[in-house]
Amino acid sequence: MPEILVIIIIGAIAGWLAGMIVNSDSSSLLLDIVIGIVGGYIGQRLFHNMLNITGNHWINLILTATAGGVILALAIKLIRRGTR
């Protein structure tokens, strides 16, 4: 159970940071968490060990998830813009 809490916390932080970077209109914490968790998966796949900037494992996880979250948030923003 603690692993799920860690995933949710990192997802929330990464999703919030991604939303701030992309300037998304989302004010939903749940959407930020989902973007952060899915973004973490995307970031891990794309940047496997490339974003090992700090010596702290948790900071690296947040940076990787944020990078993936930014990519996902930009894609969502482009899709929403195209449907309007």
Side-chain angles (χ1 to χ4, degrees), residues 1-11 37:
M1 186 69 167
E3 292 173 9
I4 293 172
L5 290 175
V6 169
I7 290 170
I8 290 172
I9 291 170
I10 289 176
I37 291 171

Side-chain angles (χ1 to χ4, degrees), residues 5 10 18 23 25-26 31 33 39 43 45 52 57 71 77 83:
L5 290 175
I10 289 176
N23 195 17
D25 300 335
S26 170
L31 183 60
I33 291 172
R45 290 306 216 184
N52 193 9
H57 176 69
I71 291 169
K77 195 171 187 177
T83 60

